[in-house]
Amino acid sequence: MRILAAIAFWLLALPAAAQTIPVEAFGRLPAVADVALSPDGRRVAIASSNVAGEGSVIIVDLENAAQRQTYGVGGDMKLRGIGWADNERVTYVVSQAFHANSVLPDGFRWRGGSPGRVEYMRNGVINLNTGRAVILSTNPENAWADYGSQLIAPISSDPGYGRMIGRAANESAHIVLFRVALDSGRVAQDAPNGFNADTVDYLVDHRGDAIARFDSNRVSNRWRVFTYENEQPRLLFEGVSEYGQPVSLPGELPDGRLVALDTNEAGFYTLYAIDRADGEARVLFERPNAEVDGAILDPWSRQVVGATWTQTESQQHYFEPALQQVHESLPTLIPDSVAGIVSWSQDRRRFLIYAERGLDGGAYYIYDVGGQVRMLAARYPELARVNSGQRQSITYRARDGHSIPAYLTLPANVDPQNLPVVVLVHGGPHARDTMDFDWWATFLASRGYAVLQPNFRGSSGYGQAYEDAGRRQWGRLMQTDVEDGAAALVRAGIGDANRMCIVGGSYGGYAALAGATLTPTRYRCAVSVAGVSDLNQMLDDITRRFRSGASVIDWWTDSIGDRVEDRESIRAVSPINLVDQVQAPILLIHGTDDTVVPIDHSRRMDRALRAAGKNVRFVELRGDDHWLSDAPTRIQMLREIETFLAQNLAPAAP
């Protein structure tokens, strides 16, 4: 089978292994950010970006690669995802950040009372027969109500229509269900009986019918799940959670039972099958001492057909033997890779596969059952044939004897002894790093640094007790776990204790600043990207932004501390108050359109450091967001870090 000619331009001009890999190869947005296979399996829709970061939707005919259509998303919109409503309609998701007080050309104006900037997600549909693209809205005359809406398609019994879950067009703005015409965008409320001001979501089957409704009270944090029979709701089960978050129901099984993702008695996420008659839960899938990440859904029936989890690498298991057989064949079909199924055609004869080989950035493949695998496109084409380094899973001991999992990326062709080290701290903080390709870590390794990514206590994916151990431990246990990882590399002879820099984004940016202030002699330098500098200010901002008693306030309180009772202890670990202790140079980088951590955190930190006579450089990324979604500013960020590290750490020579 041949490589598809229509996208071969991504694969032809790859650099030789001996060449220095340019910054653009890592900082560019993925050439292929998302791929979806059409229901009949004939075509693929590709969410693509060029080197400049301009997004477009590309449709490729798999039987005749010369037949290719391209649609630009236009303006400042960022292309976030792609799918199919049917064989002739492609769906996509775009977002745009803007100031809460501004009015966009389409009349959108935020009415939530939020200060600062807002990230606005929207759903679109392209009709491939007419070439017309339509942005969908739950209420075209009051676009604010469309904030956070979700498109559900395909709908098997309603050709040309989809379902949207979004806010009602009234002041209460509770969540309802809409029927939407995919070609015109016309909508009509289609909410089932019983919805109310506490309704936060629905579970919809492939026929477009609501099979479950989720209610949550933001004050009491009591949630309820209702199932529907003959369009009438019936309470299935209820409970109270820390943040009022209902139990997650990703879908239903072919036999009609609902599937829930919830913790087991040991505190690890597990998939349960829920009987809709009596609410009885039975274990559907679990992993010993590991967490199930979620359920795999059939792209056309939206029924649950498998489960995913992460140990060292991402794993899949399918409940249906035919799907599991394809999954088990992947190591033979794509040797020396970590591969997983992305989606399949309705007849399950053609599959879309994603695989990574080392640090090649990953690629998508087409597999026809009984045939061969065809490479579709590389995500980072400039990295596909070069050796950027090697990545491995490790553990180390914290000072209290606890075992901490981590990932270590080493430079290529370098003796792994006494290397300069970058401690790269993930965001969240209640998230995690994985073995999957990481463009930051790979870039840093390509420049001669050993890169340590610790999943400190507070990280998710290792059970509820492990995550809870990091609650209210900003600057304390979570920080010492990171420090102990750096010390472990030195003891192992891999790292040079005198050449270490701490780097991170979001919470990782806070950790970098905490490293420079709480342990000022530990690191030779620190880089904070979109980092929190003032924890009390962050809590104050969250409280102003959301209503009193909202679940998001509870989450931040449990993570950082109480803004009243713990104010002084929080102040003691806020880098903005500790600038006099700084000894190492600091690089601050922040996007002006950040809607998660306001850029004022870096601006104030910069002023405080300068006033204290410290060595600091501050770089504003114009127009970029919290997730570094623009290619030019991503590249700018990497160049700044490359220069800064070279000035403060001598990289290893091959």
Side-chain angles (χ1 to χ4, degrees), residues 114-167:
S114 170
R117 304 191 73 82
V118 178
E119 187 80 13
Y120 183 36
M121 310 287 288
R122 307 197 75 178
N123 300 278
V125 178
I126 301 171
N127 186 312
L128 300 182
N129 290 326
T130 65
R132 183 169 181 257
V134 176
I135 295 292
L136 304 179
S137 175
T138 57
N139 191 323
E141 304 201 0
N142 294 285
W144 61 269
D146 196 44
Y147 181 81
S149 63
Q150 174 190 0
L151 173 65
I152 301 171
I155 300 298
S156 62
S157 60
D158 200 8
Y161 286 84
R163 300 293 182 269
M164 291 186 75
I165 299 173
R167 289 170 171 78

Side-chain angles (χ1 to χ4, degrees), residues 96-105 107-120 144 147 545 593 595:
Q96 185 174 3
F98 62 95
H99 197 278
N101 294 325
S102 64
V103 179
L104 296 186
F108 176 82
R109 183 165 188 163
W110 178 250
R111 294 181 58 180
S114 170
R117 304 191 73 82
V118 178
E119 187 80 13
Y120 183 36
W144 61 269
Y147 181 81
R545 187 172 181 177
D593 284 1
T595 59

Side-chain angles (χ1 to χ4, degrees), residues 439-559:
W439 57 276
W440 275 34
T442 307
F443 168 75
L444 292 168
S446 77
R447 268 43 185 175
Y449 305 102
V451 184
L452 177 69
Q453 294 175 274
N455 280 326
F456 45 85
R457 276 170 285 189
S459 300
S460 60
Y462 299 97
Q464 197 63 51
Y466 193 87
E467 183 173 338
D468 287 346
R471 303 287 180 183
R472 305 195 183 198
Q473 291 297 314
W474 290 51
R476 297 182 174 89
L477 180 64
M478 292 195 294
Q479 194 72 23
T480 59
D481 279 354
V482 171
E483 294 171 20
D484 293 342
L489 288 189
V490 174
R491 290 196 304 272
I494 297 173
D496 182 347
N498 296 315
R499 291 189 295 162
M500 289 195 170
C501 188
I502 184 168
V503 180
S506 193
Y507 170 81
Y510 162 81
L513 295 176
T517 52
L518 296 173
T519 54
T521 62
R522 164 71 69 179
Y523 305 103
R524 288 285 298 274
C525 58
V527 180
S528 170
V529 180
V532 179
S533 65
D534 187 338
L535 299 183
N536 279 314
Q537 184 63 48
M538 191 71 181
L539 291 173
D540 290 344
D541 290 343
I542 291 294
T543 302
R544 284 195 299 268
R545 187 172 181 177
F546 298 94
R547 294 201 309 259
S548 177
S551 59
V552 67
I553 298 176
D554 295 337
W555 187 93
W556 280 100
T557 298
D558 281 350
S559 180

Side-chain angles (χ1 to χ4, degrees), residues 222-508:
R222 174 167 292 278
W223 54 264
R224 296 182 176 185
V225 175
F226 295 84
T227 187
Y228 279 85
E229 297 173 352
N230 299 320
E231 300 184 352
Q232 296 301 315
R234 176 173 55 82
L235 181 65
L236 189 60
F237 45 80
E238 62 182 328
V240 177
S241 65
E242 288 180 298
Y243 318 117
Q245 179 66 35
V247 62
S248 174
L249 296 179
E252 64 174 339
L253 291 167
D255 62 12
R257 289 181 297 168
L258 298 178
V259 175
L261 179 65
D262 201 2
T263 53
N264 59 20
E265 292 182 357
F268 292 92
Y269 276 105
T270 298
L271 282 184
Y272 294 90
I274 309 294
D275 191 310
R276 293 169 68 178
D278 56 15
E280 182 179 357
R282 293 183 174 87
V283 173
L284 175 64
F285 186 81
E286 64 181 344
R287 303 300 300 172
N289 298 318
E291 291 205 321
V292 177
D293 297 331
I296 302 172
L297 304 184
D298 183 286
W300 316 117
S301 70
R302 283 191 297 283
Q303 292 174 339
V304 175
V305 294
T308 65
W309 73 100
T310 301
Q311 288 178 316
T312 299
E313 299 160 334
S314 298
Q315 306 285 332
Q316 294 180 329
H317 176 80
Y318 290 88
F319 307 141
E320 299 185 22
L323 293 174
Q324 182 63 14
Q325 183 178 1
V326 172
H327 175 66
E328 291 176 353
S329 70
L330 295 183
T332 301
L333 294 170
I334 312 176
D336 303 319
S337 71
V338 177
I341 301 172
V342 177
S343 66
W344 49 84
S345 58
Q346 281 183 311
D347 63 7
R348 297 189 179 179
R349 299 297 301 169
R350 176 166 283 172
F351 286 77
L352 179 64
I353 309 297
Y354 175 75
E356 293 182 4
R357 285 188 169 109
L359 301 181
D360 71 346
Y364 290 95
Y365 300 80
I366 296 295
Y367 169 59
D368 296 316
V369 174
Q372 294 180 333
V373 170
R374 295 179 279 173
M375 185 176 180
L376 181 62
R379 294 183 70 233
Y380 289 84
E382 297 86 357
L383 303 180
R385 296 180 187 172
V386 297
N387 183 5
S388 303
Q390 56 179 310
R391 188 166 172 83
Q392 55 190 274
S393 174
I394 66 170
T395 60
Y396 61 85
R397 292 288 179 186
R399 61 192 63 183
D400 61 2
H402 200 94
S403 180
I404 306 297
Y407 295 94
L408 178 64
T409 308
L410 295 172
N413 306 317
V414 171
D415 185 9
Q417 294 186 30
N418 207 36
L419 297 177
V421 174
V422 172
V423 180
L424 184 59
V425 187
H426 68 67
H430 311 297
R432 64 167 296 173
D433 282 314
T434 71
M435 191 70 172
D436 298 338
F437 174 80
D438 186 303
W439 57 276
W440 275 34
T442 307
F443 168 75
L444 292 168
S446 77
R447 268 43 185 175
Y449 305 102
V451 184
L452 177 69
Q453 294 175 274
N455 280 326
F456 45 85
R457 276 170 285 189
S459 300
S460 60
Y462 299 97
Q464 197 63 51
Y466 193 87
E467 183 173 338
D468 287 346
R471 303 287 180 183
R472 305 195 183 198
Q473 291 297 314
W474 290 51
R476 297 182 174 89
L477 180 64
M478 292 195 294
Q479 194 72 23
T480 59
D481 279 354
V482 171
E483 294 171 20
D484 293 342
L489 288 189
V490 174
R491 290 196 304 272
I494 297 173
D496 182 347
N498 296 315
R499 291 189 295 162
M500 289 195 170
C501 188
I502 184 168
V503 180
S506 193
Y507 170 81

